[in-house]
Amino acid sequence: RLMCLNGATASQVRSFERPISALCALPGGGLAVALGGREVRVYASPSAEQPSMTFTDVAFNAVNALALAGDDTLIATDGSATSGVDDWARDLLELNRTGRVFKLDPSAKTVTRLAQGLGYAFGACAHGSAVLVSESWRHRLVLVAPGASPKVVLAHLPVYPSRLSKA
């Protein structure tokens, strides 16, 4: 369920048939929602009856974070190609390196893989034409740029980094 908190009162905005695995506010009051790690829906407003766009790429398995890029596209981190969003502990214990980063373009209706082979990609933040990505299992942040290998920005963090936001 997607809830709205107004002071001490919570009200339901909408419900979905699968758990919400990621959420992103869009300019103009829109909303992007990842469901069960396998689908991303874009709504013109939180209460819109139908999504204006739905991304259901067969590669999606564990979409766990969404972020707005500067060119009005979305960045989606997909933690693992082998473990679902609720099975992250198995992914950690197996030391998997199958995380990916995707660019979702609502205007062109395309999905582009920007990076793969990441140790549980779990959060992104646009940085110019590149994307800063949390790589949880490797305790680091990497910069993903089109056509280049991920570049380590911060390594050896004493945490499992996850969702990012500009501050």
Side-chain angles (χ1 to χ4, degrees):
R1 296 184 304 156
L2 179 61
M3 306 294 289
C4 175
L5 185 61
N6 188 359
T9 307
S11 59
Q12 181 173 305
V13 175
R14 68 179 327 118
S15 64
F16 299 95
E17 64 282 358
R18 287 177 288 173
I20 298 170
S21 58
L23 192 62
C24 180
L26 303 175
L31 183 72
V33 182
L35 299 174
R38 296 191 172 269
E39 173 182 36
V40 176
R41 295 181 189 171
V42 178
Y43 292 90
S45 73
S47 59
E49 286 292 319
Q50 297 296 321
S52 55
M53 181 66 199
T54 301
F55 294 96
T56 55
D57 195 281
V58 295
F60 293 167
N61 188 58
V63 175
N64 54 24
L66 295 167
L68 186 64
D71 58 359
D72 291 329
T73 60
L74 288 166
I75 303 301
T77 55
D78 190 313
S80 174
T82 59
S83 301
V85 287
D86 292 334
D87 212 9
W88 61 266
R90 173 182 296 279
D91 199 76
L92 172 61
L93 292 173
E94 292 176 349
L95 297 176
N96 285 330
R97 304 289 189 261
T98 61
R100 289 89 45 92
V101 180
F102 293 99
K103 181 177 186 175
L104 314 179
D105 188 336
S107 332
K109 300 179 180 172
T110 58
V111 175
T112 306
R113 186 175 56 218
L114 299 178
Q116 63 184 6
L118 301 175
Y120 208 78
F122 193 3
C125 186
H127 184 70
S129 63
V131 181
L132 188 62
V133 177
S134 296
E135 196 176 2
S136 296
W137 301 167
R138 289 183 174 150
H139 306 274
R140 65 187 189 179
L141 300 180
V142 295
L143 191 65
V144 173
S149 296
K151 177 184 172 189
V152 177
V153 175
L154 285 174
H156 309 295
L157 296 170
V159 297
Y160 292 110
S162 60
R163 293 182 176 117
L164 302 172
S165 63
K166 288 185 179 184

